[in-house]
Amino acid sequence: MDNDYLNGYAKIFGPTGTAVYISFCRHSDNETQKCFPSQKLIAEENGIGTSIVKEYIKLLEKCHIIFTTRSRDAITKRWRNIEYELVDKKDWISIEIATKIVEDYREKKREKNKKNTHSHIVSVDSHSHIDSNPQPHRFKSHSHIVSNKETHINYTHINNTNREETETLTPYQEMKLFINSEEYFYKIVKYFIEKGLPEQAIIEELTKFKNYWMELNKTGRKQRWELQPTFQLKRRLMTWFSKASQFSQRSGLKGKPIYN
């Protein structure tokens, strides 16, 4: 574990959150900094509940101290185990912002607990009076409760989390998500489909882009994109597609750029 964590972040997450982080440090590979312990195992190692483990995983990820990815098997299409990666300390969110994130989360949790307690009291009180002529309950189907709104994807916020969380992604984390998450990859594909481009051609070009930047260096420890001084996924994709004349011809755009 890095000293910088113990010198500041340990106070923010407390002994329980720090214990969860220690488990990730214990199981991570020294070179790749990756690991995939189950939440149940982490809970057993620290004598806490899995629900608490889940909470601290979310907080550690929001503060960019760990990074999680989950992808499907290419053949079986089944979800693989969640993979965790210890993020380099230079990409951690500052102590000040991390403190606010954790405090806001705990405040929301306290408010939620208060509402649940109040709701329970009202419910018990309302059922203390017996209706002499009870009527059967009528339940609305889920389809009537949840409106079926069309999903609009904004490329700058492609993620399965809320907008506030995705805005805190670093360029490093966004690229890691693009590489490791099949769901994220296909959300980008969907974005281009909504622009009127053919799905197969998009997948082929994105796969070429991905394979090019994932090529390993001579030592086999770094990928091509990791050797760049800066790497912003959106800008790199814009440059890649603007130069892909074959893609433009295949998609019927006759050499026009495919981005706005």
Side-chain angles (χ1 to χ4, degrees):
M1 181 184 293
D2 198 284
N3 284 334
D4 282 0
Y5 180 90
L6 294 171
N7 290 337
Y9 294 87
K11 293 179 182 179
I12 301 172
F13 293 100
T16 305
T18 299
V20 172
Y21 182 58
I22 287 174
S23 288
F24 287 124
C25 294
R26 174 191 178 190
H27 292 287
S28 65
D29 180 87
N30 288 334
E31 290 188 2
T32 65
Q33 295 292 287
K34 295 180 179 180
C35 60
F36 41 88
S38 67
Q39 294 174 356
K40 182 180 179 181
L41 175 61
I42 296 174
E44 290 174 350
E45 287 178 343
N46 295 289
I48 56 179
T50 54
S51 60
I52 296 176
V53 173
K54 290 178 182 178
E55 288 180 7
Y56 280 105
I57 287 175
K58 287 180 180 179
L59 289 174
L60 288 166
E61 186 171 25
K62 281 185 176 182
C63 296
H64 298 175
I65 293 176
I66 65 170
F67 182 71
T68 65
T69 55
R70 192 175 188 184
S71 57
R72 292 182 185 272
D73 186 277
I75 299 175
T76 65
K77 299 301 180 182
R78 292 180 179 177
W79 287 106
R80 299 190 180 101
N81 289 339
I82 299 176
E83 184 179 79
Y84 304 96
E85 181 178 350
L86 302 182
V87 178
D88 191 285
K89 63 181 181 181
K90 64 180 173 59
D91 291 315
W92 293 355
I93 282 181
S94 68
I95 291 177
E96 293 75 16
I97 298 177
T99 301
K100 187 178 185 306
I101 288 174
V102 175
E103 287 179 350
D104 287 349
Y105 172 81
R106 288 172 177 163
E107 180 61 30
K108 287 179 182 178
K109 187 176 180 181
R110 283 192 290 268
E111 290 296 324
K112 185 178 180 180
N113 289 338
K114 286 181 182 178
K115 288 181 180 179
N116 290 340
T117 303
H118 178 71
S119 175
H120 177 68
I121 294 172
V122 172
S123 177
V124 171
D125 184 64
S126 64
H127 284 81
S128 62
H129 303 283
I130 301 175
D131 192 346
S132 59
N133 185 26
Q135 298 294 323
H137 293 287
R138 299 180 182 274
F139 296 99
K140 293 182 178 180
S141 66
H142 185 70
S143 61
H144 287 91
I145 298 172
V146 181
S147 60
N148 183 23
K149 294 181 179 180
E150 183 182 357
T151 301
H152 297 281
I153 295 179
N154 182 341
Y155 177 78
T156 58
H157 303 297
I158 297 174
N159 200 357
N160 58 358
T161 54
N162 61 43
R163 176 169 179 169
E164 182 180 351
E165 291 177 359
T166 50
E167 284 180 338
T168 61
L169 279 177
T170 63
Y172 173 85
Q173 288 177 318
E174 186 178 20
M175 186 59 181
K176 293 291 286 186
L177 194 63
F178 172 73
I179 291 172
N180 295 313
S181 172
E182 184 177 348
E183 182 182 4
Y184 193 89
F185 181 91
Y186 279 100
K187 280 188 177 182
I188 295 179
V189 172
K190 185 176 179 180
Y191 168 82
F192 284 116
I193 291 175
E194 290 176 348
K195 298 297 182 184
L197 303 176
E199 180 179 1
Q200 189 57 40
I202 297 166
I203 293 174
E204 288 177 5
E205 207 62 39
L206 281 175
T207 302
K208 289 180 185 178
F209 173 88
K210 184 175 178 179
N211 291 339
Y212 174 81
W213 287 110
M214 285 178 63
E215 184 179 357
L216 294 172
N217 64 353
K218 293 180 180 179
T219 63
R221 294 186 178 183
K222 292 282 187 179
Q223 295 177 349
R224 189 194 300 269
W225 71 275
E226 294 178 297
L227 301 175
Q228 304 298 309
T230 59
F231 195 97
Q232 291 185 323
L233 181 59
K234 182 179 180 180
R235 290 185 178 278
R236 297 283 180 170
L237 283 172
M238 288 169 63
T239 301
W240 180 276
F241 280 119
S242 67
K243 294 180 179 179
S245 57
Q246 292 181 356
F247 179 83
S248 296
Q249 293 170 4
R250 264 202 319 276
S251 60
L253 296 179
K254 299 180 180 179
K256 296 179 181 179
I258 68 165
Y259 61 90
N260 187 323

